[in-house]
mmCIF file of all heavy atoms in Angstrom:
data_model
loop_
_atom_site.group_PDB
_atom_site.id
_atom_site.type_symbol
_atom_site.label_atom_id
_atom_site.label_comp_id
_atom_site.label_asym_id
_atom_site.label_seq_id
_atom_site.Cartn_x
_atom_site.Cartn_y
_atom_site.Cartn_z
ATOM 1 N N ILE A 1 0.823 -1.171 0.007
ATOM 2 C CA ILE A 1 0.017 -0.015 -0.010
ATOM 3 C C ILE A 1 0.862 1.206 0.008
ATOM 4 O O ILE A 1 1.782 1.353 0.837
ATOM 5 C CB ILE A 1 -0.973 0.026 1.208
ATOM 6 C CG1 ILE A 1 -1.807 -1.266 1.245
ATOM 7 C CG2 ILE A 1 -1.777 1.247 1.251
ATOM 8 C CD1 ILE A 1 -2.627 -1.437 2.435
ATOM 9 N N GLU A 2 0.690 2.066 -0.967
ATOM 10 C CA GLU A 2 1.598 3.226 -1.062
ATOM 11 C C GLU A 2 1.337 4.306 -0.005
ATOM 12 O O GLU A 2 2.291 4.924 0.493
ATOM 13 C CB GLU A 2 1.399 3.904 -2.442
ATOM 14 C CG GLU A 2 1.967 3.021 -3.580
ATOM 15 C CD GLU A 2 3.462 2.824 -3.538
ATOM 16 O OE1 GLU A 2 4.218 3.813 -3.097
ATOM 17 O OE2 GLU A 2 3.913 1.759 -3.903
ATOM 18 N N ARG A 3 0.112 4.572 0.354
ATOM 19 C CA ARG A 3 -0.251 5.544 1.321
ATOM 20 C C ARG A 3 -1.218 4.932 2.327
ATOM 21 O O ARG A 3 -2.484 5.088 2.227
ATOM 22 C CB ARG A 3 -0.900 6.777 0.640
ATOM 23 C CG ARG A 3 0.119 7.502 -0.175
ATOM 24 C CD ARG A 3 -0.563 8.641 -0.905
ATOM 25 N NE ARG A 3 -1.516 8.083 -1.758
ATOM 26 C CZ ARG A 3 -2.307 8.744 -2.625
ATOM 27 N NH1 ARG A 3 -2.109 9.988 -2.661
ATOM 28 N NH2 ARG A 3 -3.159 8.152 -3.401
ATOM 29 N N ASP A 4 -0.698 4.287 3.382
ATOM 30 C CA ASP A 4 -1.492 3.599 4.375
ATOM 31 C C ASP A 4 -1.907 4.504 5.505
ATOM 32 O O ASP A 4 -1.241 5.556 5.739
ATOM 33 C CB ASP A 4 -0.749 2.354 4.884
ATOM 34 C CG ASP A 4 -1.700 1.236 5.434
ATOM 35 O OD1 ASP A 4 -2.965 1.575 5.477
ATOM 36 O OD2 ASP A 4 -1.170 0.190 5.733
ATOM 37 N N LEU A 5 -2.913 4.122 6.229
ATOM 38 C CA LEU A 5 -3.360 4.838 7.401
ATOM 39 C C LEU A 5 -3.343 3.928 8.599
ATOM 40 O O LEU A 5 -3.689 2.712 8.484
ATOM 41 C CB LEU A 5 -4.820 5.316 7.190
ATOM 42 C CG LEU A 5 -5.132 6.309 6.113
ATOM 43 C CD1 LEU A 5 -6.596 6.510 5.963
ATOM 44 C CD2 LEU A 5 -4.420 7.602 6.335
ATOM 45 N N VAL A 6 -2.932 4.492 9.791
ATOM 46 C CA VAL A 6 -2.888 3.670 11.008
ATOM 47 C C VAL A 6 -3.577 4.442 12.089
ATOM 48 O O VAL A 6 -3.416 5.686 12.190
ATOM 49 C CB VAL A 6 -1.473 3.302 11.460
ATOM 50 C CG1 VAL A 6 -1.419 2.751 12.812
ATOM 51 C CG2 VAL A 6 -0.799 2.393 10.363
ATOM 52 N N PHE A 7 -4.367 3.839 12.905
ATOM 53 C CA PHE A 7 -5.067 4.561 13.997
ATOM 54 C C PHE A 7 -4.098 5.070 15.054
ATOM 55 O O PHE A 7 -3.177 4.363 15.471
ATOM 56 C CB PHE A 7 -6.085 3.571 14.652
ATOM 57 C CG PHE A 7 -6.853 4.204 15.751
ATOM 58 C CD1 PHE A 7 -7.891 5.146 15.423
ATOM 59 C CD2 PHE A 7 -6.597 4.092 17.102
ATOM 60 C CE1 PHE A 7 -8.624 5.734 16.438
ATOM 61 C CE2 PHE A 7 -7.288 4.669 18.080
ATOM 62 C CZ PHE A 7 -8.287 5.500 17.775
ATOM 63 N N ASP A 8 -4.212 6.339 15.316
ATOM 64 C CA ASP A 8 -3.448 6.998 16.360
ATOM 65 C C ASP A 8 -4.294 7.201 17.575
ATOM 66 O O ASP A 8 -5.273 8.050 17.532
ATOM 67 C CB ASP A 8 -2.838 8.286 15.814
ATOM 68 C CG ASP A 8 -1.944 8.988 16.777
ATOM 69 O OD1 ASP A 8 -2.038 8.780 18.030
ATOM 70 O OD2 ASP A 8 -1.105 9.872 16.312
ATOM 71 N N GLU A 9 -4.002 6.599 18.652
ATOM 72 C CA GLU A 9 -4.826 6.682 19.913
ATOM 73 C C GLU A 9 -4.840 8.038 20.443
ATOM 74 O O GLU A 9 -5.767 8.475 21.226
ATOM 75 C CB GLU A 9 -4.470 5.589 20.903
ATOM 76 C CG GLU A 9 -3.109 5.764 21.499
ATOM 77 C CD GLU A 9 -1.972 5.165 20.746
ATOM 78 O OE1 GLU A 9 -2.246 4.630 19.627
ATOM 79 O OE2 GLU A 9 -0.870 5.319 21.200
ATOM 80 N N VAL A 10 -3.744 8.808 20.297
ATOM 81 C CA VAL A 10 -3.622 10.182 20.801
ATOM 82 C C VAL A 10 -4.559 11.154 20.012
ATOM 83 O O VAL A 10 -5.288 11.858 20.607
ATOM 84 C CB VAL A 10 -2.170 10.665 20.877
ATOM 85 C CG1 VAL A 10 -2.145 12.108 21.313
ATOM 86 C CG2 VAL A 10 -1.349 9.782 21.755
ATOM 87 N N ALA A 11 -4.453 10.997 18.714
ATOM 88 C CA ALA A 11 -5.280 11.844 17.844
ATOM 89 C C ALA A 11 -6.711 11.346 17.802
ATOM 90 O O ALA A 11 -7.571 12.118 17.487
ATOM 91 C CB ALA A 11 -4.702 11.910 16.430
ATOM 92 N N GLY A 12 -6.925 10.069 18.008
ATOM 93 C CA GLY A 12 -8.295 9.531 17.999
ATOM 94 C C GLY A 12 -8.796 9.292 16.635
ATOM 95 O O GLY A 12 -10.007 9.180 16.403
ATOM 96 N N ARG A 13 -7.923 9.183 15.692
ATOM 97 C CA ARG A 13 -8.330 8.907 14.287
ATOM 98 C C ARG A 13 -7.174 8.249 13.507
ATOM 99 O O ARG A 13 -6.041 8.255 13.977
ATOM 100 C CB ARG A 13 -8.780 10.187 13.584
ATOM 101 C CG ARG A 13 -7.707 11.211 13.453
ATOM 102 C CD ARG A 13 -8.207 12.467 12.786
ATOM 103 N NE ARG A 13 -7.206 13.461 12.644
ATOM 104 C CZ ARG A 13 -6.968 14.427 13.523
ATOM 105 N NH1 ARG A 13 -7.763 14.557 14.550
ATOM 106 N NH2 ARG A 13 -6.021 15.298 13.350
ATOM 107 N N ASN A 14 -7.466 7.866 12.321
ATOM 108 C CA ASN A 14 -6.371 7.271 11.416
ATOM 109 C C ASN A 14 -5.501 8.364 10.966
ATOM 110 O O ASN A 14 -5.912 9.501 10.602
ATOM 111 C CB ASN A 14 -6.994 6.548 10.237
ATOM 112 C CG ASN A 14 -7.681 5.263 10.622
ATOM 113 O OD1 ASN A 14 -7.298 4.641 11.645
ATOM 114 N ND2 ASN A 14 -8.677 4.896 9.856
ATOM 115 N N GLN A 15 -4.169 8.066 10.936
ATOM 116 C CA GLN A 15 -3.171 9.040 10.497
ATOM 117 C C GLN A 15 -2.323 8.385 9.341
ATOM 118 O O GLN A 15 -2.119 7.164 9.326
ATOM 119 C CB GLN A 15 -2.204 9.380 11.600
ATOM 120 C CG GLN A 15 -2.846 10.097 12.757
ATOM 121 C CD GLN A 15 -3.334 11.476 12.398
ATOM 122 O OE1 GLN A 15 -2.705 12.094 11.519
ATOM 123 N NE2 GLN A 15 -4.254 11.996 13.172
ATOM 124 N N PRO A 16 -1.917 9.179 8.367
ATOM 125 C CA PRO A 16 -1.049 8.630 7.229
ATOM 126 C C PRO A 16 0.299 8.180 7.805
ATOM 127 O O PRO A 16 0.866 8.785 8.640
ATOM 128 C CB PRO A 16 -0.954 9.752 6.282
ATOM 129 C CG PRO A 16 -1.488 10.962 6.900
ATOM 130 C CD PRO A 16 -2.239 10.548 8.151
ATOM 131 N N VAL A 17 0.798 7.021 7.365
ATOM 132 C CA VAL A 17 2.126 6.488 7.723
ATOM 133 C C VAL A 17 3.000 6.216 6.546
ATOM 134 O O VAL A 17 4.116 5.634 6.682
ATOM 135 C CB VAL A 17 1.948 5.263 8.610
ATOM 136 C CG1 VAL A 17 1.376 5.541 9.917
ATOM 137 C CG2 VAL A 17 1.271 4.085 7.847
ATOM 138 N N GLY A 18 2.548 6.479 5.350
ATOM 139 C CA GLY A 18 3.321 6.130 4.158
ATOM 140 C C GLY A 18 3.065 4.699 3.671
ATOM 141 O O GLY A 18 2.042 4.195 3.929
ATOM 142 N N PRO A 19 4.056 4.159 3.005
ATOM 143 C CA PRO A 19 3.877 2.775 2.481
ATOM 144 C C PRO A 19 3.938 1.730 3.545
ATOM 145 O O PRO A 19 4.457 1.879 4.580
ATOM 146 C CB PRO A 19 5.004 2.629 1.492
ATOM 147 C CG PRO A 19 6.097 3.543 1.987
ATOM 148 C CD PRO A 19 5.341 4.724 2.646
ATOM 149 N N SER A 20 3.223 0.605 3.221
ATOM 150 C CA SER A 20 3.254 -0.565 4.058
ATOM 151 C C SER A 20 3.227 -1.823 3.256
ATOM 152 O O SER A 20 2.794 -1.876 2.127
ATOM 153 C CB SER A 20 2.063 -0.560 5.053
ATOM 154 O OG SER A 20 0.901 -0.760 4.379
ATOM 155 N N HIS A 21 3.739 -2.931 3.850
ATOM 156 C CA HIS A 21 3.755 -4.219 3.161
ATOM 157 C C HIS A 21 2.979 -5.166 4.003
ATOM 158 O O HIS A 21 3.035 -5.162 5.338
ATOM 159 C CB HIS A 21 5.105 -4.745 3.005
ATOM 160 C CG HIS A 21 5.978 -4.039 2.008
ATOM 161 N ND1 HIS A 21 7.366 -4.173 2.015
ATOM 162 C CD2 HIS A 21 5.620 -3.240 1.004
ATOM 163 C CE1 HIS A 21 7.757 -3.475 0.984
ATOM 164 N NE2 HIS A 21 6.787 -2.915 0.424
ATOM 165 N N ARG A 22 2.215 -6.121 3.374
ATOM 166 C CA ARG A 22 1.572 -7.261 4.099
ATOM 167 C C ARG A 22 1.866 -8.528 3.389
ATOM 168 O O ARG A 22 1.851 -8.568 2.176
ATOM 169 C CB ARG A 22 0.080 -7.018 4.227
ATOM 170 C CG ARG A 22 -0.374 -5.914 5.162
ATOM 171 C CD ARG A 22 -1.793 -5.606 5.004
ATOM 172 N NE ARG A 22 -2.298 -4.622 5.917
ATOM 173 C CZ ARG A 22 -2.021 -3.300 5.821
ATOM 174 N NH1 ARG A 22 -1.333 -2.877 4.843
ATOM 175 N NH2 ARG A 22 -2.488 -2.490 6.765
ATOM 176 N N LEU A 23 2.095 -9.560 4.129
ATOM 177 C CA LEU A 23 2.372 -10.915 3.530
ATOM 178 C C LEU A 23 1.694 -11.884 4.452
ATOM 179 O O LEU A 23 1.790 -11.781 5.648
ATOM 180 C CB LEU A 23 3.831 -11.129 3.577
ATOM 181 C CG LEU A 23 4.348 -12.427 2.911
ATOM 182 C CD1 LEU A 23 4.079 -12.457 1.415
ATOM 183 C CD2 LEU A 23 5.881 -12.557 3.244
ATOM 184 N N GLY A 24 0.936 -12.809 3.913
ATOM 185 C CA GLY A 24 0.260 -13.741 4.752
ATOM 186 C C GLY A 24 -0.389 -14.904 3.976
ATOM 187 O O GLY A 24 -0.266 -15.075 2.785
ATOM 188 N N SER A 25 -1.183 -15.676 4.762
ATOM 189 C CA SER A 25 -1.934 -16.729 4.142
ATOM 190 C C SER A 25 -3.103 -17.049 4.990
ATOM 191 O O SER A 25 -3.286 -16.565 6.150
ATOM 192 C CB SER A 25 -1.027 -18.043 4.127
ATOM 193 O OG SER A 25 -0.609 -18.373 5.475
ATOM 194 N N PHE A 26 -4.059 -17.769 4.397
ATOM 195 C CA PHE A 26 -5.234 -18.176 5.124
ATOM 196 C C PHE A 26 -5.734 -19.563 4.732
ATOM 197 O O PHE A 26 -5.364 -20.044 3.598
ATOM 198 C CB PHE A 26 -6.338 -17.205 4.990
ATOM 199 C CG PHE A 26 -7.101 -17.305 3.681
ATOM 200 C CD1 PHE A 26 -8.172 -18.133 3.438
ATOM 201 C CD2 PHE A 26 -6.743 -16.513 2.552
ATOM 202 C CE1 PHE A 26 -8.863 -18.241 2.219
ATOM 203 C CE2 PHE A 26 -7.369 -16.620 1.331
ATOM 204 C CZ PHE A 26 -8.370 -17.518 1.191
ATOM 205 N N VAL A 27 -6.500 -20.198 5.583
ATOM 206 C CA VAL A 27 -7.087 -21.458 5.228
ATOM 207 C C VAL A 27 -8.505 -21.491 5.811
ATOM 208 O O VAL A 27 -8.775 -20.825 6.818
ATOM 209 C CB VAL A 27 -6.270 -22.680 5.822
ATOM 210 C CG1 VAL A 27 -6.215 -22.659 7.325
ATOM 211 C CG2 VAL A 27 -6.843 -24.030 5.334
ATOM 212 N N ALA A 28 -9.435 -22.009 4.985
ATOM 213 C CA ALA A 28 -10.825 -22.083 5.504
ATOM 214 C C ALA A 28 -11.357 -23.462 5.105
ATOM 215 O O ALA A 28 -11.053 -24.022 4.013
ATOM 216 C CB ALA A 28 -11.694 -21.005 4.707
ATOM 217 N N ALA A 29 -12.187 -24.011 6.026
ATOM 218 C CA ALA A 29 -12.845 -25.261 5.773
ATOM 219 C C ALA A 29 -14.304 -25.148 6.146
ATOM 220 O O ALA A 29 -14.658 -24.616 7.183
ATOM 221 C CB ALA A 29 -12.159 -26.351 6.634
ATOM 222 N N ARG A 30 -15.165 -25.681 5.246
ATOM 223 C CA ARG A 30 -16.610 -25.579 5.510
ATOM 224 C C ARG A 30 -17.187 -27.075 5.395
ATOM 225 O O ARG A 30 -16.861 -27.698 4.390
ATOM 226 C CB ARG A 30 -17.220 -24.695 4.495
ATOM 227 C CG ARG A 30 -18.766 -24.613 4.634
ATOM 228 C CD ARG A 30 -19.385 -23.666 3.662
ATOM 229 N NE ARG A 30 -20.240 -22.860 4.534
ATOM 230 C CZ ARG A 30 -20.395 -21.552 4.449
ATOM 231 N NH1 ARG A 30 -19.647 -20.844 3.607
ATOM 232 N NH2 ARG A 30 -21.217 -20.944 5.197
ATOM 233 N N LEU A 31 -17.914 -27.473 6.349
ATOM 234 C CA LEU A 31 -18.537 -28.737 6.400
ATOM 235 C C LEU A 31 -20.058 -28.493 6.535
ATOM 236 O O LEU A 31 -20.542 -27.760 7.421
ATOM 237 C CB LEU A 31 -18.013 -29.479 7.641
ATOM 238 C CG LEU A 31 -18.680 -30.849 7.841
ATOM 239 C CD1 LEU A 31 -18.287 -31.817 6.668
ATOM 240 C CD2 LEU A 31 -18.232 -31.461 9.206
ATOM 241 N N GLY A 32 -20.769 -29.120 5.573
ATOM 242 C CA GLY A 32 -22.242 -29.033 5.645
ATOM 243 C C GLY A 32 -22.871 -30.450 5.679
ATOM 244 O O GLY A 32 -22.300 -31.401 5.071
ATOM 245 N N TYR A 33 -23.940 -30.607 6.421
ATOM 246 C CA TYR A 33 -24.617 -31.889 6.404
ATOM 247 C C TYR A 33 -26.129 -31.709 6.258
ATOM 248 O O TYR A 33 -26.795 -31.073 7.085
ATOM 249 C CB TYR A 33 -24.339 -32.617 7.766
ATOM 250 C CG TYR A 33 -25.040 -33.896 7.874
ATOM 251 C CD1 TYR A 33 -24.600 -35.008 7.148
ATOM 252 C CD2 TYR A 33 -26.176 -34.025 8.675
ATOM 253 C CE1 TYR A 33 -25.192 -36.216 7.257
ATOM 254 C CE2 TYR A 33 -26.859 -35.317 8.772
ATOM 255 C CZ TYR A 33 -26.349 -36.356 8.068
ATOM 256 O OH TYR A 33 -26.970 -37.541 8.127
ATOM 257 N N ALA A 34 -26.633 -32.281 5.192
ATOM 258 C CA ALA A 34 -28.103 -32.347 4.958
ATOM 259 C C ALA A 34 -28.908 -31.090 5.159
ATOM 260 O O ALA A 34 -29.921 -31.112 5.736
ATOM 261 C CB ALA A 34 -28.715 -33.469 5.797
ATOM 262 N N ASP A 35 -28.411 -29.930 4.778
ATOM 263 C CA ASP A 35 -29.093 -28.699 4.917
ATOM 264 C C ASP A 35 -29.421 -28.380 6.317
ATOM 265 O O ASP A 35 -30.257 -27.492 6.568
ATOM 266 C CB ASP A 35 -30.350 -28.583 4.044
ATOM 267 C CG ASP A 35 -29.974 -28.504 2.580
ATOM 268 O OD1 ASP A 35 -28.880 -28.035 2.234
ATOM 269 O OD2 ASP A 35 -30.816 -29.021 1.789
ATOM 270 N N ALA A 36 -28.897 -29.067 7.312
ATOM 271 C CA ALA A 36 -29.163 -28.863 8.736
ATOM 272 C C ALA A 36 -27.995 -28.277 9.471
ATOM 273 O O ALA A 36 -28.075 -27.485 10.356
ATOM 274 C CB ALA A 36 -29.578 -30.149 9.371
ATOM 275 N N LEU A 37 -26.746 -28.755 9.138
ATOM 276 C CA LEU A 37 -25.583 -28.297 9.831
ATOM 277 C C LEU A 37 -24.643 -27.557 8.844
ATOM 278 O O LEU A 37 -24.386 -28.052 7.750
ATOM 279 C CB LEU A 37 -24.855 -29.519 10.431
ATOM 280 C CG LEU A 37 -23.494 -29.239 11.130
ATOM 281 C CD1 LEU A 37 -23.736 -28.424 12.405
ATOM 282 C CD2 LEU A 37 -22.759 -30.500 11.412
ATOM 283 N N ASP A 38 -24.074 -26.456 9.321
ATOM 284 C CA ASP A 38 -23.158 -25.722 8.516
ATOM 285 C C ASP A 38 -22.034 -25.207 9.454
ATOM 286 O O ASP A 38 -22.309 -24.449 10.380
ATOM 287 C CB ASP A 38 -23.825 -24.508 7.819
ATOM 288 C CG ASP A 38 -22.920 -23.805 6.848
ATOM 289 O OD1 ASP A 38 -21.815 -24.345 6.498
ATOM 290 O OD2 ASP A 38 -23.286 -22.741 6.384
ATOM 291 N N LEU A 39 -20.841 -25.690 9.237
ATOM 292 C CA LEU A 39 -19.709 -25.344 10.085
ATOM 293 C C LEU A 39 -18.576 -24.737 9.221
ATOM 294 O O LEU A 39 -18.254 -25.346 8.205
ATOM 295 C CB LEU A 39 -19.128 -26.642 10.772
ATOM 296 C CG LEU A 39 -17.814 -26.447 11.570
ATOM 297 C CD1 LEU A 39 -17.980 -25.593 12.753
ATOM 298 C CD2 LEU A 39 -17.382 -27.834 11.963
ATOM 299 N N LEU A 40 -18.173 -23.544 9.619
ATOM 300 C CA LEU A 40 -17.064 -22.867 8.897
ATOM 301 C C LEU A 40 -15.966 -22.544 9.869
ATOM 302 O O LEU A 40 -16.177 -21.899 10.886
ATOM 303 C CB LEU A 40 -17.591 -21.621 8.159
ATOM 304 C CG LEU A 40 -16.612 -20.669 7.551
ATOM 305 C CD1 LEU A 40 -15.914 -21.389 6.366
ATOM 306 C CD2 LEU A 40 -17.226 -19.335 7.111
#
């Protein structure tokens, strides 16, 4: 992100911090049974 914002607790609002990087991963599993049970 070239121009990111971060919450500043002193100012009580988001403040610009310049560029930021994020790197990550996710996994999701969903199990359904007979239109009665749905687990995510």
Side-chain angles (χ1 to χ4, degrees):
I1 300 173
E2 291 296 325
R3 292 177 297 184
D4 206 351
L5 298 172
V6 171
F7 182 75
D8 183 337
E9 67 278 358
V10 175
R13 63 180 179 268
N14 289 332
Q15 297 289 336
V17 293
S20 70
H21 288 165
R22 287 171 179 75
L23 182 67
S25 62
F26 76 88
V27 63
R30 178 175 231 135
L31 177 68
Y33 179 74
D35 292 332
L37 175 69
D38 190 11
L39 172 66
L40 174 64

